[in-house]
Amino acid sequence: MKVYRVLARVCVCFLLSTWLLFLLPVQSLAQTKKIDAFKRDLSKAGSKDSMGILLNLLLEKNSMPGDSIRKFVDLAEGLAGRNTSPEVRYLLNFYKVIVAQNEASSDQAISTCDSNIRAIENAALGPEVLLRFLQLKASLLVRKGLYEEALQAYFRVLEEAERVNNMDYQIAGRNGVGWVYMEKSEWRTAIDWFKKALATTEDLKILDKFTIVMTNIAATYNSIHENDSALDFVDRAITIALKTEDLRSVANGYAIKADILIDLNRKSEAAVAMKEALNVRKKIGDIYYIISDIFQLGLFHASTGDCQNGILISKEGIDLVNKYKVDSKRILLYEALAANYKACNDMESYAGVLERMITWKDSAAKAVSENALAEMSAKYNLQAKEQQIIRQELLLSRRNYIIYGSLVLFLLIGVIGVQYFAQYKSNQERKSMMDMARARDDERLRIAADLHDSIGSQLSFISRKLEIILSKKSEDVNPLSDFMNEMDANIRKTISDLRETIWTMKKERIDFSELADRLKLFAQQLLSETDVKLHISESHEAVVSFSSIESINFYRIVQEAINNAFRHARAKNITIRFVSSDEKGWRIEINDDGVGFDTKEVFEEHYGHENMKYRAKNMNVHLVVSSTAMSGTSVILSNRRVV
């Protein structure tokens, strides 16, 4: 048996040398100097030294494509044999999951992580072995768009890392929590967590391994248009990544820098950075980030007017999302496709993509409620405090020189502290329950009022029409047909109003851009079969969001203005502008070239104008309606006084 084992190891060494001799000339482009040096050492080493060199090579996983990682893992398993230690066996399992991750096999990778975590916990191995898989599983959950589960997983990483005082995984855990909030577009919360990650330690050797934190901060600052800060962080990240030869971080850095430069209108520099990112990305081949680069390239084509190529590259990205089920990137690719349709002035396709985006957002995006996230954050903070108390108690127990009187004093202080904490927790829970009850009452009243204002009046109209129909004689066929058609139109409007009301009820906060999408879709559908031309312009320079009650009221005001321009003003052109900026706030403008009207005249039995003013006053915003006979009408809704 020993002879066979020796022969097997000799065969593995022969295959190892043959494979390396083949690989080194072919990969003349080289990954990094460090990887090339390890490969040369491996080609010269005997079987005894080869395992250590292979494990060092696998540490450079961020700079290698998945097939190379797989080959090194296979070689290491061949050298290890049956007598390898559990730590090395699970380390090789970890790299196998990395390969599955790079190939975008997320379901398989998550399942493999779970089975390894269960086995490690049962075997009671060292904490770093467990932390390695917990961290990897959390990142896989983010890639799949399962943000609630990912947040729970990262909080567990943090708890375990703090318990054993592991700085690397404390940084990784805090960065991961920030990543989840970044994917959810909660930019300020994300930045806070990224800064906590950088503040974990002052050891530069540790921080240099986490350039991903700096690139994440840069990407987040870019999302809120603080581009000077974004450019500073991304340049620092690229410098460190080049020094440490971390190719994935280099590619991410250049991709993010290209996005920042596009925002700064430095398009030639952006093209160079994008090319650098793609060249590096080809060496490591991660489908998740390839899709991200396609999204960025699609937006770049839209901004430079090359919309046909932008449409093609965006559709290619959507095909990759569908093929590999990378659902967290789906909405980004549709945004790029919509931007290119708009740049090509294909408004019909643009409206179709907008409708699909709305459907996707309503059904899949932001599935995690704010209450659930708050509860998990509170749970983490509480558990972190409990862990800190436990460590302090253990430290006190080792200090045997403290006199018994001091021990008694500390015990009394501890008892008082626990009682105070219990009382405080009880008060907070009672206050939380009262706030929730009050919020439910307010929400119920709001829903009742909105249903009464919109759907109640519609149903009353239908009831009156039914009475008229019933009073008609059977031979009055044509009038009956007209009545039924009119009833059908009103029923459809009732259903539309109900959908919009439910849309706002489902969310606590609604982005200004999402409200704009809804209004654009309404206008497109209203005017699609008419001769009226619709003109839309947008400028979103600031991140603005509204509560659900604000959103439905603003929607109804603008809806009424568009209806008036179409049905009463006999306009040929209707223009809608959506503007938001840090200096001037937000505004929505509706202008038409219709017949106009006297704004001082009172129209009996028509309350649309009064309802618009009433809604604006209740929401504490400014509504200005300007019109003169035969000169068109202008309606401006804004959170700042209109001059």
Side-chain angles (χ1 to χ4, degrees), residues 92 141 171 186 193 208 237 243 287 327 344 355 357 388 433 435 442 484 501 506 553 568:
L92 295 178
L141 290 169
I171 296 172
E186 295 182 27
W193 277 99
D208 282 355
K243 182 183 71 174
I287 196 68
D327 292 334
C344 284
E355 190 166 7
M357 286 171 62
Q388 185 179 6
M433 292 177 64
D435 289 342
D442 292 343
M484 293 301 290
T501 302
K506 286 169 63 179
N553 276 283
H568 303 304

Side-chain angles (χ1 to χ4, degrees), residues 9 81 107 115 136 179 239 261 263 313 320 495 591:
R9 288 177 179 267
D107 290 333
S115 61
L136 181 55
W179 184 18
T239 300
L261 292 170
D263 277 0
I313 194 71
L320 288 174
I495 292 171
N591 298 303

Side-chain angles (χ1 to χ4, degrees), residues 77-90:
E77 284 187 324
L79 285 171
R82 295 181 179 179
N83 296 325
T84 185
S85 67
E87 286 79 5
V88 172
R89 186 170 69 252
Y90 284 113

Side-chain angles (χ1 to χ4, degrees), residues 287-544:
I287 196 68
Y288 180 85
Y289 288 105
I290 288 172
I291 291 172
S292 297
D293 289 347
I294 288 175
F295 159 69
Q296 189 177 26
L297 191 58
L299 290 183
F300 183 79
H301 283 312
S303 67
T304 56
D306 190 9
C307 54
Q308 292 297 336
N309 282 329
I311 291 169
L312 292 176
I313 194 71
S314 299
K315 288 182 175 179
E316 180 183 346
I318 292 171
D319 290 341
L320 288 174
V321 166
N322 293 330
K323 180 178 179 180
Y324 293 105
K325 298 180 181 179
V326 190
D327 292 334
S328 61
K329 295 294 182 183
R330 186 184 305 276
I331 196 66
L332 296 178
L333 270 301
Y334 277 114
E335 287 178 4
L337 183 60
N340 280 283
Y341 277 134
K342 185 176 180 181
C344 284
N345 203 30
D346 186 351
M347 302 310 291
E348 182 178 355
S349 299
Y350 175 58
V353 173
L354 283 178
E355 190 166 7
R356 293 186 70 179
M357 286 171 62
I358 290 170
T359 302
W360 178 257
K361 286 180 180 179
D362 287 346
S363 62
K366 299 183 180 178
V368 182
S369 69
E370 298 299 329
N371 287 336
L373 294 177
E375 287 175 3
M376 282 185 284
S377 297
K379 179 181 177 182
Y380 162 71
N381 290 330
L382 179 59
Q383 290 175 340
K385 290 178 181 178
E386 290 173 347
Q387 290 289 338
Q388 185 179 6
I389 291 172
I390 291 171
R391 289 195 295 269
Q392 289 174 346
E393 289 176 348
L394 289 172
L395 182 61
L396 288 172
S397 68
R398 298 189 187 103
R399 296 179 179 177
N400 295 324
Y401 58 85
I402 299 177
I403 62 173
Y404 289 108
S406 298
L407 288 173
V408 173
L409 179 61
F410 281 123
L411 181 60
L412 289 173
I413 293 173
V415 170
I416 294 171
V418 170
Q419 291 178 342
Y420 175 81
F421 181 76
Q423 183 65 35
Y424 173 79
K425 183 179 178 182
S426 176
N427 291 339
Q428 289 297 105
E429 289 176 349
R430 191 181 302 110
K431 182 177 181 297
S432 177
M433 292 177 64
M434 293 175 63
D435 289 342
M436 289 175 63
R438 190 180 301 112
R440 283 195 296 269
D441 290 341
D442 292 343
E443 185 69 4
R444 186 169 61 254
L445 292 173
R446 184 186 72 78
I447 293 170
D450 202 51
L451 290 175
H452 176 270
D453 288 347
S454 59
I455 298 174
S457 61
Q458 299 284 341
L459 294 176
S460 296
F461 175 81
I462 294 171
S463 177
R464 289 196 300 273
K465 290 296 181 181
L466 281 171
E467 290 177 1
I468 295 172
I469 291 171
L470 292 173
S471 67
K472 294 288 181 180
K473 296 180 180 179
S474 59
E475 60 270 14
D476 295 338
V477 177
N478 289 334
L480 182 60
S481 176
D482 292 340
F483 277 121
M484 293 301 290
N485 288 334
E486 193 171 356
M487 282 180 61
D488 181 64
N490 277 275
I491 289 171
R492 291 177 181 274
K493 186 175 186 305
T494 301
I495 292 171
S496 176
D497 288 346
L498 181 59
R499 283 177 178 168
E500 301 305 336
T501 302
I502 292 174
W503 163 62
T504 58
M505 286 167 56
K506 286 169 63 179
K507 303 180 181 183
E508 290 187 10
R509 303 293 301 177
I510 294 173
D511 292 341
F512 184 37
S513 60
E514 188 175 353
L515 177 64
D517 288 344
R518 285 276 179 177
L519 289 166
K520 288 184 287 185
L521 185 61
F522 167 76
Q524 291 271 4
Q525 292 173 341
L526 179 67
L527 305 176
S528 60
E529 297 181 3
T530 71
D531 294 331
V532 180
K533 293 183 179 180
L534 176 65
H535 309 275
I536 296 173
S537 67
E538 297 179 75
S539 176
H540 299 289
E541 297 179 3
V543 179
V544 178

Side-chain angles (χ1 to χ4, degrees), residues 162-261:
E162 289 177 346
R163 185 176 63 83
V164 299
N165 199 30
N166 186 306
M167 291 296 174
D168 284 22
Y169 284 100
Q170 286 183 45
I171 296 172
R174 293 184 177 105
N175 176 68
V177 174
W179 184 18
V180 174
Y181 283 113
M182 181 174 70
E183 291 293 331
K184 286 173 53 59
S185 302
E186 295 182 27
W187 312 117
R188 291 298 177 187
T189 306
I191 289 172
D192 289 342
W193 277 99
F194 293 142
K195 289 184 176 179
K196 288 178 183 177
L198 292 178
T200 302
T201 179
E202 295 180 357
D203 189 340
L204 295 180
K205 290 184 179 179
I206 295 177
L207 291 175
D208 282 355
K209 294 186 287 185
F210 290 92
T211 51
I212 187 173
V213 182
M214 292 186 183
T215 55
N216 282 342
I217 293 179
T220 309
Y221 272 129
N222 181 42
S223 297
I224 57 177
H225 306 293
E226 294 184 15
N227 290 318
D228 290 337
S229 298
L231 204 57
D232 176 56
F233 273 100
V234 79
D235 283 337
R236 288 160 58 188
I238 292 171
T239 300
I240 296 171
L242 289 170
K243 182 183 71 174
T244 58
E245 297 188 322
D246 183 345
L247 294 187
R248 177 165 291 137
S249 294
V250 171
N252 290 345
Y254 279 124
I256 293 167
K257 185 173 183 178
D259 204 18
I260 298 167
L261 292 170

